[in-house]
C-alpha cells in the first residue's frame, strides 16, 4: 500500500488560515478533532482520495462550525439565548446536509457490496461445480442443492461470447465487424437473463422452490455444456459429430437441470411444464448457435487467403470482355459501374 | 513583536508540539500554485514522460508498484485510440465505413476493463477502480505493437505463410500482455483466488487478439 510522501515544510506553511479556528478551539477546551485514523486509505488513488478528502473537509467544516456555534452559544448564554438556539439549529442543519451527502456517496460504493457474497468462491469450488453440471443426479424426493453464486455463470457467459466470436470469424459469417460483438454479447446475455427470468416466472406459477439467484446459477452452469460443444464443433466441422455432441453433452447438462427442477417441484403437470420448457429451450439454443453462426468450411480458407467478395452483398457484376480487343473499355466500364454502385449504396 | 504572545494561556496538559502533516492536503496546495502557472509544453512533456515510463514498465514487466502508485488514464486512451484507428477498414467498398468499428473497439476495451475491475473487486481484491483500469489499459501495449506488425506484414502478399507469421506474432504478444497484467494485478488478490481474477483478463485479451488477427484490409 502506498502512502504518498509529503514535504513537511508545505504542511507547516499550509497550517495558516485554515487551522486558525482549530487553535482557538484548543484554548477554549477544543471540540474539533481531526480523525486521523481514516487517512490510511488502501486505494492510493488521488482521484478517489480527492473525493473523500473534500467529503472530510466538508464534514470538518461542519464540525468546526458546529463547535464554533456551540462556543458562541456558551458565550451568549443567558443574554441572547434565542440567538444561540438559532445558530445551533443552523449548525445542526449543516451537519445533516453533510451527513446526507456522505451516506449518498457511501450507498454508491455499497451497491457493489450487494453482489459481493455471490462472488465468494474458491477455484476448487468453481471447478467442481463445472464438472457437476454435467452429471445428473437422480434424487427427486429431496430438493437438490444449488450453489447460489454468480462468478461461474458470468464467466461461462463471457466464454460463450468469446467462442461465438471465434466461430463467427472462422466461418465467414458476417464480414462487417460492427455487429459481430454486439450480436454475440446480446445473444448470450439475452439467453442467460431472459430464459432464467422466464423459467423463474414459470416456476412461480408451478409453485417450484427456486429463487431467481438459484435459477441464474443453474442456467449459467448449464451453459458449460454449450461451451464445450461449440468449441469442439467450430474447430472440427462435421455435422454428424455435432449431432452426437448435441445429444450427449447438451442432453447431459439439460438432464442435470431438469433433475434439479423436478426435485424442487410437486405435481406431475407442473414438473412436465417446467422441465419440458427448459429442456426445449436449452437444446434448441445449442442448435441455433451452431447453425445460425456456422457456415461451411470455406470460411477458414478465406481467412488464410484474404477475403473474397462477402456473401449476401449486392456487387455490380463484372461486364465480361467478349472480344480481347475490347478489354480496355470493359475495365473502364467495370470501374465506372462499380463507382456508380458504390455511390448508390452509400445513399 | 512578542508582546501579543503574552496574552495566550495554554494549559500544560494539552500538547501543542508536534507536526500536523496531512499529505494530501499539502498536495492540493502544491497543485494549485505550482502546476497551474507552468507552460503547456511543460505539462505535456511531464505527462508524456510519465506515460513513456509506464510503457517501459509494461514492456519489461517486473513486480513493481509504479503503475499502481501513479496511475493515469492517458496511456490507455492513447493506446485504445491507436488500436481503434488501425482496426478500421477505411475503404469505400464495404457497406459500413470505419465508424462503427472505432466505436466497437472503444466500447469493448473500456467496458471490458470495467467488468474485469468490478470482478476483481468483488472477488475481494484491494485494488482501486482506476488503478485497475490503468493497468489493464497499459497492458494493451503489446497487442498494439502486434497490430502494427500485422499491418506491415499484410502489405506483403497474402497466403498461409502470411497467416502463420501473424498468428505467431499475435500469440506472443497476447502471452506478453497477460504476463504483464498478471505481474501487476496478482498481488492485489487474495493468494488462492488469483486464477479467478486472471481468467477474465485472459478472455479480454483473447477477444482483442482475435480482432487483431482476423483483421484484413480490403
Amino acid at each position: 500500500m502506498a502512502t504518498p510522501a509529503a514535504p513537511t515544510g508545505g504542511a507547516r506553511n499550509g497550517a495558516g488560515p485554515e487551522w486558525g479556528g482549530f487553535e482557538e478551539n484548543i484554548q477554549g477546551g477544543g471540540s474539533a478533532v481531526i480523525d486521523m485514523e481514516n487517512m490510511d486509505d488502501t486505494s492510493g488513488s488521488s482521484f478517489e482520495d480527492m473525493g473523500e478528502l473534500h467529503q472530510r473537509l466538508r464534514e470538518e467544516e461542519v464540525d468546526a462550525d458546529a463547535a464554533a456555534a456551540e462556543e458562541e452559544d456558551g458565550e451568549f448564554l443567558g443574554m441572547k439565548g434565542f440567538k444561540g438556539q438559532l445558530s445551533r439549529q443552523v449548525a445542526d442543519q449543516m451537519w445533516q446536509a453533510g451527513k446526507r451527502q456522505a451516506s449518498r456517496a457511501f450507498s454508491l460504493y455499497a451497491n457493489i457490496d450487494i453482489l459481493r457474497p455471490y462472488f465468494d468462491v474458491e477455484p476448487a469450488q468453481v471447478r467442481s461445480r463445472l464438472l457437476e453440471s454435467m452429471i445428473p443426479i437422480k434424487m427427486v424426493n429431496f430438493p437438490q442443492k444449488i450453489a447460489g453464486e454468480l462468478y461461474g455463470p458470468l464467466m461461462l457467459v463471457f466464454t460463450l461470447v468469446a467462442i461465438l466470436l471465434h466461430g463467427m470469424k472462422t466461418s465467414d459469417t458476417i464480414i462487417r465487424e460492427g455487429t459481430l460483438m454486439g450480436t454475440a454479447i446480446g445473444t448470450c446475455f439475452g439467453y442467460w437473463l431472459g430464459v432464467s427470468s422466464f423459467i423463474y416466472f414459470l416456476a412461480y406459477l408451478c409453485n417450484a422452490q427456486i429463487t431467481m439467484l438459484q435459477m441464474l446459477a443453474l442456467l449459467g452452469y448449464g451453459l458449460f455444456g454449450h461451451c464445450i460443444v461449440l468449441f469442439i464443433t467450430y474447430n472440427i466441422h462435421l455435422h454428424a459429430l455435432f449431432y452426437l455432441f448435441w445429444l450427449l453433452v447438451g442432453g447431459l447438462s439439460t438432464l442435470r437441470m431438469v433433475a434439479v427442477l423436478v426435485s424442487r417441484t410437486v405435481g406431475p403437470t407442473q414438473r412436465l411444464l417446467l422441465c419440458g420448457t427448459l429442456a426445449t429451450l436449452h437444446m434448441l439454443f445449442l442448435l441455433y448457435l451452431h447453425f445460425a453462426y456456422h457456415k461451411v468450411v470455406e470460411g477458414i480458407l478465406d481467412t488464410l487467403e484474404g477475403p473474397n467478395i462477402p456473401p449476401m452483398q449486392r456487387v455490380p457484376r463484372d461486364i465480361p470482355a467478349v472480344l480481347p480487343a475490347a478489354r480496355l473499355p470493359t475495365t473502364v466500364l467495370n470501374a465506372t459501374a462499380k463507382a456508380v454502385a458504390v455511390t448508390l449504396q452509400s445513399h | 513583536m512578542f508582546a501579543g504572545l503574552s496574552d495566550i494561556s495554554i494549559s500544560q496538559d494539552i500538547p501543542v508540539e508536534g507536526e500536523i502533516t496531512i499529505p494530501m492536503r499539502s498536495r492540493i496546495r502544491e497543485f494549485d500554485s505550482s502546476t497551474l502557472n507552468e507552460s503547456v509544453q511543460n505539462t505535456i512533456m511531464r505527462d508524456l514522460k510519465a506515460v513513456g515510463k509506464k510503457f517501459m514498465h509494461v514492456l519489461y514487466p517486473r513486480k513493481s508498484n509504479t503503475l499502481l502508485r501513479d496511475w493515469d488514464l492517458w496511456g490507455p486512451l492513447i493506446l485504445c485510440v491507436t488500436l481503434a484507428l488501425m482496426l478500421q477498414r477505411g475503404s469505400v467498398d464495404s457497406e459500413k465505413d470505419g465508424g462503427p468499428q472505432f466505436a466497437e473497439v472503444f466500447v469493448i476495451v473500456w467496458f471490458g476493463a470495467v467488468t474485469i475491475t468490478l470482478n476483481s473487486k468483488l472477488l475481494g481484491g484491494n485494488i482501486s477502480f482506476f488503478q485497475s483500469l490503468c493497468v489493464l489499459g497499459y497492458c494493451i501495449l503489446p497487442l498494439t505493437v502486434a497490430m502494427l506488425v500485422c499491418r506491415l506484414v499484410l502489405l506483403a502478399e497474402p497466403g498461409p505463410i502470411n497467416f502463420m507469421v501473424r498468428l505467431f506474432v499475435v500469440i506472443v504478444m497476447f502471452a506478453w500482455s497477460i504476463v504483464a497484467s498478471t505481474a501487476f494485478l496478482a498481488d492485489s488478490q487474495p493468494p488462492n483466488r488469483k486464477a479467478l481474477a486472471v481468467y477474465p483478463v485472459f478472455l479480454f485479451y483473447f477477444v482483442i487478439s482475435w480482432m487483431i488477427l482476423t483483421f484484413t484490409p480490403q
Side-chain angles (χ1 to χ4, degrees):
Chain A
M1 249 161 336
T3 46
T8 52
R12 246 180 241 124
N13 287 338
E18 260 79 359
W19 301 119
F22 183 67
E23 283 162 23
E24 283 169 3
N25 280 338
I26 280 191
Q27 295 175 26
S31 50
V33 175
I34 307 294
D35 206 7
M36 290 298 281
E37 68 200 25
N38 288 334
M39 283 297 182
D40 199 27
D41 200 25
T42 57
S43 66
S45 91
S46 27
F47 181 86
E48 289 172 342
D49 288 341
M50 271 332 170
E52 285 175 26
L53 192 63
H54 281 293
Q55 200 66 45
R56 220 168 284 130
L57 284 178
R58 249 177 265 130
E59 287 176 24
E60 284 155 18
E61 277 175 358
V62 169
D63 270 340
D65 282 334
E70 276 183 34
E71 201 196 285
E72 280 177 59
D73 205 19
E75 286 180 15
F76 293 157
L77 239 173
M79 291 275 296
K80 297 178 182 176
F82 73 98
K83 193 169 181 181
Q85 215 176 27
L86 189 63
S87 61
R88 206 186 303 147
Q89 270 184 1
V90 167
D92 203 4
Q93 272 178 5
M94 290 187 67
W95 167 246
Q96 294 290 340
K99 198 165 143 183
R100 236 178 291 131
Q101 269 185 327
S103 62
R104 227 180 296 147
F106 177 76
S107 66
L108 176 67
Y109 283 102
N111 270 337
I112 300 181
D113 286 332
I114 295 176
L115 293 176
R116 206 177 275 270
Y118 307 138
F119 281 76
D120 191 16
V121 288
E122 306 291 320
Q125 281 178 327
V126 176
R127 206 170 26 236
S128 67
R129 281 172 197 165
L130 282 175
L131 291 174
E132 279 169 8
S133 74
M134 303 298 295
I135 305 173
I137 298 181
K138 206 169 175 274
M139 177 178 70
V140 295
N141 297 324
F142 260 143
Q144 292 186 20
K145 191 171 170 313
I146 307 177
E149 56 137 322
L150 286 178
Y151 174 82
L154 203 62
M155 287 305 125
L156 279 171
V157 174
F158 280 125
T159 310
L160 192 62
V161 169
I163 293 178
L164 277 184
L165 281 179
H166 163 85
M168 281 197 265
K169 286 288 190 181
T170 54
S171 65
D172 201 27
T173 305
I174 305 173
I175 297 287
R176 292 169 262 120
E177 280 182 63
T179 56
L180 221 61
M181 194 70 189
T183 319
I185 290 185
T187 309
C188 298
F189 270 96
Y191 175 76
W192 183 47
L193 295 171
V195 171
S196 289
S197 317
F198 180 61
I199 301 287
Y200 176 66
F201 167 66
L202 278 185
Y204 171 74
L205 289 181
C206 299
N207 255 338
Q209 287 176 17
I210 195 166
T211 64
M212 184 66 188
L213 171 72
Q214 287 173 330
M215 193 58 227
L216 282 171
L218 191 67
L219 195 64
Y221 274 112
L223 287 175
F224 181 54
H226 284 22
C227 286
I228 296 179
V229 174
L230 289 173
F231 183 65
I232 296 177
T233 54
Y234 278 152
N235 293 317
I236 307 174
H237 297 263
L238 288 172
H239 279 292
L241 187 68
F242 168 70
Y243 283 120
L244 184 68
F245 271 114
W246 178 63
L247 281 176
L248 261 180
V249 178
L252 272 180
S253 78
T254 313
L255 268 178
R256 158 132 184 115
M257 290 198 296
V258 158
V260 170
L261 277 180
V262 161
S263 75
R264 286 167 172 259
T265 319
V266 179
T269 326
Q270 287 93 324
R271 283 178 172 178
L272 190 63
L273 175 67
L274 200 55
C275 303
T277 320
L278 180 60
T280 320
L281 286 171
H282 203 63
M283 300 294 274
L284 283 182
F285 183 56
L286 184 53
L287 218 57
Y288 168 71
L289 284 180
H290 182 84
F291 287 111
Y293 288 99
H294 172 78
K295 286 203 181 136
V296 194
V297 184
E298 276 98 68
I300 295 188
L301 296 175
D302 275 346
T303 42
L304 287 182
E305 288 166 19
N308 301 324
I309 295 171
M312 307 294 203
Q313 233 185 7
R314 273 191 292 159
V315 180
R317 236 173 255 260
D318 278 352
I319 302 169
V322 177
L323 301 166
R327 198 158 298 162
L328 188 55
T330 53
T331 49
V332 169
L333 274 175
N334 285 338
T336 346
K338 208 164 190 176
V340 167
V342 160
T343 45
L344 279 179
Q345 272 178 356
S346 62
H347 283 312
Chain B
M1 185 170 105
F2 291 101
L5 290 178
S6 59
D7 289 337
I8 297 175
S9 62
I10 302 172
S11 61
Q12 292 304 311
D13 48 334
I14 297 180
V16 290
E17 292 179 23
E19 283 181 3
I20 302 178
T21 53
I22 300 177
M24 269 90 69
R25 249 208 108 92
S26 60
R27 220 206 287 175
I28 299 178
R29 212 59 41 80
E30 260 185 24
F31 272 134
D32 280 346
S33 57
S34 59
T35 68
L36 207 54
N37 296 330
E38 63 179 13
S39 67
V40 174
Q41 185 187 5
N42 273 355
T43 314
I44 292 183
M45 287 315 294
R46 191 183 61 236
D47 284 336
L48 278 181
K49 272 197 207 115
V51 169
K53 204 164 76 152
K54 292 201 195 80
F55 279 172
M56 284 300 124
H57 275 273
V58 171
L59 286 179
Y60 304 109
R62 318 174 274 276
K63 280 197 191 317
S64 84
N65 267 338
T66 315
L67 242 71
L68 292 179
R69 206 169 44 224
D70 329 308
W71 61 269
D72 73 89
L73 291 178
W74 283 115
L77 183 68
I78 295 174
L79 287 173
C80 181
V81 168
T82 315
L83 194 62
L85 284 175
M86 284 199 288
L87 274 173
Q88 284 194 357
R89 291 291 157 80
S91 68
V92 202
D93 287 342
S94 55
E95 268 192 6
K96 289 213 171 136
D97 56 2
Q101 291 164 1
F102 182 92
E104 183 197 352
V105 174
F106 219 80
V107 162
I108 289 173
V109 167
W110 288 103
F111 276 97
V114 164
T115 309
I116 297 176
T117 309
L118 283 178
N119 177 63
S120 73
K121 280 190 89 94
L122 285 169
L123 282 174
N126 61 349
I127 195 171
S128 139
F129 184 73
F130 287 105
Q131 282 172 340
S132 176
L133 278 187
C134 167
V135 168
L136 289 168
Y138 270 106
C139 291
I140 295 182
L141 177 65
L143 287 171
T144 314
V145 170
M147 184 73 223
L148 279 167
V149 171
C150 281
R151 269 227 114 131
L152 291 174
V153 168
L154 279 168
L155 291 175
E157 60 161 73
I161 301 182
N162 199 308
F163 181 70
M164 284 300 151
V165 166
R166 281 187 293 137
L167 180 68
F168 177 70
V169 166
V170 168
I171 288 182
V172 164
M173 292 302 176
F174 166 63
W176 199 333
S177 284
I178 294 191
V179 164
S181 62
T182 315
F184 293 115
L185 288 178
D187 288 334
S188 65
Q189 290 293 324
N192 49 345
R193 292 192 188 175
K194 289 206 174 85
L196 295 184
V198 168
Y199 180 68
V201 177
F202 169 85
L203 278 181
F204 175 60
Y205 288 132
F206 174 80
V207 168
I208 298 183
S209 316
W210 197 253
M211 283 199 294
I212 292 175
L213 183 62
T214 55
F215 170 78
T216 43
Q218 295 194 348

